[in-house]
Structures are given as C-alpha cells and as structure tokens.
Short mmCIF file of all heavy atoms in Angstrom, two decimals:
data_model
loop_
_atom_site.label_atom_id
_atom_site.label_comp_id
_atom_site.label_asym_id
_atom_site.label_seq_id
_atom_site.Cartn_x
_atom_site.Cartn_y
_atom_site.Cartn_z
N LEU A 1 3.57 97.70 79.23
CA LEU A 1 3.87 99.07 79.72
C LEU A 1 3.20 99.28 80.99
O LEU A 1 2.24 98.58 81.38
CB LEU A 1 3.42 100.05 78.65
CG LEU A 1 4.07 100.00 77.28
CD1 LEU A 1 3.50 101.08 76.37
CD2 LEU A 1 5.57 100.06 77.36
N ILE A 2 3.57 100.24 81.73
CA ILE A 2 3.03 100.56 83.06
C ILE A 2 1.55 100.80 83.05
O ILE A 2 1.06 101.49 82.26
CB ILE A 2 3.74 101.78 83.70
CG1 ILE A 2 5.17 101.49 84.00
CG2 ILE A 2 3.09 102.22 84.98
CD1 ILE A 2 6.03 102.70 84.42
N ASN A 3 0.86 100.13 83.93
CA ASN A 3 -0.58 100.10 84.02
C ASN A 3 -1.06 101.32 84.91
O ASN A 3 -1.18 101.14 86.15
CB ASN A 3 -1.16 98.84 84.53
CG ASN A 3 -2.71 98.68 84.47
OD1 ASN A 3 -3.35 99.75 84.45
ND2 ASN A 3 -3.20 97.51 84.43
N PHE A 4 -1.23 102.47 84.30
CA PHE A 4 -1.52 103.70 85.10
C PHE A 4 -2.96 103.62 85.66
O PHE A 4 -3.25 104.21 86.73
CB PHE A 4 -1.38 104.94 84.27
CG PHE A 4 0.14 105.30 84.16
CD1 PHE A 4 0.84 105.01 83.01
CD2 PHE A 4 0.74 106.02 85.21
CE1 PHE A 4 2.17 105.36 82.89
CE2 PHE A 4 2.05 106.32 85.06
CZ PHE A 4 2.80 106.03 83.99
N GLU A 5 -3.84 102.91 84.97
CA GLU A 5 -5.23 102.79 85.53
C GLU A 5 -5.14 102.02 86.81
O GLU A 5 -5.84 102.36 87.79
CB GLU A 5 -6.09 102.03 84.47
CG GLU A 5 -6.44 102.89 83.31
CD GLU A 5 -7.46 102.15 82.37
OE1 GLU A 5 -8.05 101.18 82.88
OE2 GLU A 5 -7.73 102.67 81.35
N GLN A 6 -4.35 100.95 86.92
CA GLN A 6 -4.17 100.25 88.09
C GLN A 6 -3.61 101.03 89.19
O GLN A 6 -3.98 100.97 90.39
CB GLN A 6 -3.31 98.95 87.79
CG GLN A 6 -3.15 98.06 89.06
CD GLN A 6 -2.08 96.98 88.86
OE1 GLN A 6 -1.17 97.13 88.10
NE2 GLN A 6 -2.25 95.81 89.55
N ILE A 7 -2.55 101.85 88.81
CA ILE A 7 -1.97 102.70 89.88
C ILE A 7 -2.94 103.64 90.44
O ILE A 7 -3.08 103.79 91.68
CB ILE A 7 -0.82 103.55 89.18
CG1 ILE A 7 0.31 102.58 88.83
CG2 ILE A 7 -0.30 104.60 90.15
CD1 ILE A 7 1.42 103.26 88.01
N GLU A 8 -3.81 104.26 89.59
CA GLU A 8 -4.80 105.16 90.13
C GLU A 8 -5.83 104.44 91.03
O GLU A 8 -6.22 104.92 92.05
CB GLU A 8 -5.47 105.90 89.00
CG GLU A 8 -6.43 106.98 89.48
CD GLU A 8 -6.59 108.17 88.51
OE1 GLU A 8 -6.03 108.09 87.38
OE2 GLU A 8 -7.32 109.15 88.87
N ASP A 9 -6.20 103.23 90.58
CA ASP A 9 -7.19 102.41 91.37
C ASP A 9 -6.62 102.10 92.77
O ASP A 9 -7.24 102.18 93.83
CB ASP A 9 -7.54 101.15 90.64
CG ASP A 9 -8.50 101.35 89.44
OD1 ASP A 9 -9.04 102.46 89.43
OD2 ASP A 9 -8.54 100.44 88.62
N LEU A 10 -5.33 101.71 92.78
CA LEU A 10 -4.66 101.40 94.03
C LEU A 10 -4.47 102.64 94.95
O LEU A 10 -4.65 102.53 96.20
CB LEU A 10 -3.24 100.77 93.74
CG LEU A 10 -3.32 99.35 93.13
CD1 LEU A 10 -1.98 98.94 92.70
CD2 LEU A 10 -3.94 98.33 94.02
N CYS A 11 -4.15 103.77 94.36
CA CYS A 11 -4.07 105.00 95.13
C CYS A 11 -5.47 105.32 95.71
O CYS A 11 -5.59 105.80 96.94
CB CYS A 11 -3.62 106.18 94.24
SG CYS A 11 -1.89 106.18 93.88
N ARG A 12 -6.49 105.24 94.94
CA ARG A 12 -7.89 105.54 95.42
C ARG A 12 -8.22 104.59 96.64
O ARG A 12 -8.82 105.03 97.52
CB ARG A 12 -8.86 105.38 94.28
CG ARG A 12 -10.24 105.81 94.62
CD ARG A 12 -11.19 105.53 93.48
NE ARG A 12 -10.81 106.19 92.23
CZ ARG A 12 -10.35 105.59 91.23
NH1 ARG A 12 -10.29 104.23 91.11
NH2 ARG A 12 -9.97 106.22 90.09
N THR A 13 -7.81 103.33 96.57
CA THR A 13 -8.20 102.33 97.53
C THR A 13 -7.36 102.39 98.73
O THR A 13 -7.86 102.36 99.85
CB THR A 13 -8.18 100.94 96.92
OG1 THR A 13 -9.04 100.87 95.77
CG2 THR A 13 -8.56 99.91 97.93
N TYR A 14 -6.05 102.51 98.61
CA TYR A 14 -5.09 102.36 99.70
C TYR A 14 -4.47 103.62 100.23
O TYR A 14 -3.83 103.60 101.28
CB TYR A 14 -3.99 101.33 99.32
CG TYR A 14 -4.53 99.98 99.08
CD1 TYR A 14 -4.74 99.52 97.78
CD2 TYR A 14 -4.80 99.08 100.15
CE1 TYR A 14 -5.20 98.18 97.57
CE2 TYR A 14 -5.31 97.78 99.92
CZ TYR A 14 -5.46 97.37 98.61
OH TYR A 14 -5.90 96.08 98.35
N LYS A 15 -4.53 104.76 99.55
CA LYS A 15 -4.04 106.04 99.95
C LYS A 15 -2.60 105.93 100.37
O LYS A 15 -2.24 106.18 101.53
CB LYS A 15 -4.83 106.61 101.08
CG LYS A 15 -6.36 106.67 100.85
CD LYS A 15 -6.61 107.78 99.77
CE LYS A 15 -8.11 108.06 99.64
NZ LYS A 15 -8.97 106.87 99.20
N PRO A 16 -1.72 105.51 99.51
CA PRO A 16 -0.21 105.41 99.86
C PRO A 16 0.37 106.74 100.26
O PRO A 16 -0.03 107.76 99.74
CB PRO A 16 0.37 104.82 98.65
CG PRO A 16 -0.47 105.30 97.48
CD PRO A 16 -1.87 105.29 98.05
N LYS A 17 1.35 106.67 101.17
CA LYS A 17 2.12 107.89 101.48
C LYS A 17 3.15 108.21 100.42
O LYS A 17 3.47 109.40 100.27
CB LYS A 17 2.89 107.63 102.89
CG LYS A 17 1.96 107.53 104.06
CD LYS A 17 1.48 108.89 104.47
CE LYS A 17 0.62 108.84 105.73
NZ LYS A 17 1.51 108.56 106.89
N ILE A 18 3.67 107.18 99.74
CA ILE A 18 4.67 107.38 98.67
C ILE A 18 4.34 106.45 97.51
O ILE A 18 4.05 105.25 97.66
CB ILE A 18 6.11 107.09 99.16
CG1 ILE A 18 6.59 108.29 100.03
CG2 ILE A 18 7.03 106.91 97.96
CD1 ILE A 18 8.05 108.08 100.54
N ILE A 19 4.44 106.96 96.31
CA ILE A 19 4.39 106.18 95.05
C ILE A 19 5.85 106.14 94.56
O ILE A 19 6.57 107.16 94.53
CB ILE A 19 3.54 106.88 93.99
CG1 ILE A 19 2.09 106.95 94.42
CG2 ILE A 19 3.62 106.00 92.69
CD1 ILE A 19 1.23 107.77 93.46
N ILE A 20 6.33 104.92 94.20
CA ILE A 20 7.69 104.75 93.73
C ILE A 20 7.59 104.38 92.18
O ILE A 20 6.99 103.50 91.82
CB ILE A 20 8.43 103.62 94.47
CG1 ILE A 20 8.34 103.85 95.91
CG2 ILE A 20 9.83 103.55 93.98
CD1 ILE A 20 8.74 102.63 96.75
N ALA A 21 8.28 105.26 91.47
CA ALA A 21 8.42 104.98 89.99
C ALA A 21 9.89 104.62 89.68
O ALA A 21 10.80 105.10 90.35
CB ALA A 21 8.07 106.29 89.16
N GLY A 22 10.06 103.80 88.65
CA GLY A 22 11.34 103.34 88.31
C GLY A 22 11.57 101.90 88.66
O GLY A 22 10.79 101.31 89.46
N GLY A 23 12.55 101.23 88.06
CA GLY A 23 12.70 99.82 88.34
C GLY A 23 14.06 99.37 87.83
O GLY A 23 14.97 100.07 87.56
N SER A 24 14.24 98.03 87.92
CA SER A 24 15.51 97.44 87.57
C SER A 24 15.47 96.65 86.29
O SER A 24 16.49 96.20 85.81
CB SER A 24 16.00 96.54 88.72
OG SER A 24 15.09 95.47 88.89
N ALA A 25 14.26 96.46 85.70
CA ALA A 25 14.17 95.73 84.48
C ALA A 25 13.01 96.23 83.61
O ALA A 25 12.26 95.44 83.02
CB ALA A 25 13.97 94.20 84.85
N TYR A 26 12.90 97.52 83.57
CA TYR A 26 11.86 98.15 82.73
C TYR A 26 12.60 98.93 81.66
O TYR A 26 13.39 99.80 81.91
CB TYR A 26 10.99 99.04 83.60
CG TYR A 26 9.74 99.62 82.79
CD1 TYR A 26 8.70 98.76 82.54
CD2 TYR A 26 9.68 100.94 82.37
CE1 TYR A 26 7.54 99.29 81.90
CE2 TYR A 26 8.66 101.42 81.66
CZ TYR A 26 7.51 100.60 81.46
OH TYR A 26 6.44 101.04 80.78
N SER A 27 12.28 98.54 80.44
CA SER A 27 13.04 99.09 79.29
C SER A 27 12.55 100.21 78.49
O SER A 27 13.08 100.69 77.48
CB SER A 27 13.34 97.93 78.27
OG SER A 27 12.14 97.49 77.73
N ARG A 28 11.41 100.82 78.99
CA ARG A 28 10.83 101.93 78.27
C ARG A 28 10.88 103.21 79.10
O ARG A 28 11.09 103.15 80.32
CB ARG A 28 9.30 101.59 78.03
CG ARG A 28 9.17 100.41 77.01
CD ARG A 28 9.81 100.69 75.71
NE ARG A 28 9.51 99.76 74.70
CZ ARG A 28 9.81 99.82 73.34
NH1 ARG A 28 10.43 100.98 72.97
NH2 ARG A 28 9.49 98.93 72.51
N PHE A 29 10.73 104.33 78.36
CA PHE A 29 10.56 105.61 79.12
C PHE A 29 9.38 105.55 80.07
O PHE A 29 8.34 104.95 79.81
CB PHE A 29 10.30 106.73 78.12
CG PHE A 29 11.50 107.13 77.28
CD1 PHE A 29 11.30 107.60 75.99
CD2 PHE A 29 12.82 106.97 77.66
CE1 PHE A 29 12.48 107.96 75.20
CE2 PHE A 29 13.87 107.30 76.92
CZ PHE A 29 13.76 107.81 75.63
N ILE A 30 9.55 106.21 81.17
CA ILE A 30 8.54 106.33 82.24
C ILE A 30 7.88 107.70 82.11
O ILE A 30 8.55 108.73 82.05
CB ILE A 30 9.08 106.12 83.61
CG1 ILE A 30 9.65 104.67 83.71
CG2 ILE A 30 8.06 106.30 84.71
CD1 ILE A 30 10.44 104.44 85.00
N ASP A 31 6.57 107.75 82.12
CA ASP A 31 5.86 109.01 81.97
C ASP A 31 5.77 109.64 83.31
O ASP A 31 4.80 109.47 84.13
CB ASP A 31 4.42 108.76 81.44
CG ASP A 31 3.72 110.03 81.06
OD1 ASP A 31 4.04 111.09 81.60
OD2 ASP A 31 2.80 109.93 80.14
N PHE A 32 6.77 110.44 83.71
CA PHE A 32 6.83 111.10 85.03
C PHE A 32 5.70 112.07 85.21
O PHE A 32 5.22 112.21 86.31
CB PHE A 32 8.23 111.67 85.20
CG PHE A 32 9.42 110.82 85.05
CD1 PHE A 32 10.39 111.13 84.14
CD2 PHE A 32 9.48 109.70 85.79
CE1 PHE A 32 11.47 110.32 83.98
CE2 PHE A 32 10.58 108.87 85.69
CZ PHE A 32 11.58 109.18 84.75
N LYS A 33 5.40 112.76 84.18
CA LYS A 33 4.25 113.70 84.19
C LYS A 33 2.90 113.03 84.68
O LYS A 33 2.20 113.60 85.52
CB LYS A 33 4.05 114.41 82.88
CG LYS A 33 3.10 115.58 82.93
CD LYS A 33 3.05 116.29 81.55
CE LYS A 33 2.19 117.53 81.61
NZ LYS A 33 2.14 118.22 80.28
N LYS A 34 2.61 111.83 84.14
CA LYS A 34 1.49 111.08 84.52
C LYS A 34 1.52 110.67 85.96
O LYS A 34 0.53 110.70 86.72
CB LYS A 34 1.33 109.99 83.59
CG LYS A 34 -0.13 109.29 83.68
CD LYS A 34 -0.26 108.26 82.57
CE LYS A 34 -0.51 108.94 81.23
NZ LYS A 34 -0.90 107.92 80.22
N PHE A 35 2.80 110.22 86.40
CA PHE A 35 2.94 109.87 87.81
C PHE A 35 2.67 111.08 88.77
O PHE A 35 2.01 110.99 89.78
CB PHE A 35 4.30 109.34 88.09
CG PHE A 35 4.45 107.83 87.99
CD1 PHE A 35 5.10 107.27 86.90
CD2 PHE A 35 3.92 106.96 88.99
CE1 PHE A 35 5.19 105.87 86.81
CE2 PHE A 35 4.05 105.64 88.85
CZ PHE A 35 4.71 105.08 87.86
#
C-alpha cells in the first residue's frame, strides 16, 4: 500500500511544487484526505 511516511519525508526534504496521487496499476482505494 502507499507509503505515506515516505511521502511526508520526501516532502520535508525536497519541498515539491506538486504531489501527484493516482496511478495506472494500483488496485486499492487511495486516501485522498491523507494526501
């Protein structure tokens, strides 16, 4: 499942302008609220 801890670590380190959620081969619900 999506590694939200990693996402937060990467945001903290790299300060992205955009986070992209969604994919072409992910079969589970995505927690949009957490994103």
Side-chain angles (χ1 to χ4, degrees):
L1 300 179
I2 293 172
N3 187 336
F4 282 100
E5 287 187 13
Q6 182 189 28
I7 291 172
E8 186 154 2
D9 287 343
L10 292 171
C11 284
R12 187 183 303 112
T13 302
Y14 295 100
K15 306 294 189 296
K17 290 286 187 68
I18 285 183
I19 301 173
I20 307 168
S24 61
Y26 189 74
S27 63
R28 294 299 190 174
F29 288 150
I30 296 172
D31 192 335
F32 303 124
K33 188 175 182 179
K34 191 171 288 188
F35 266 107

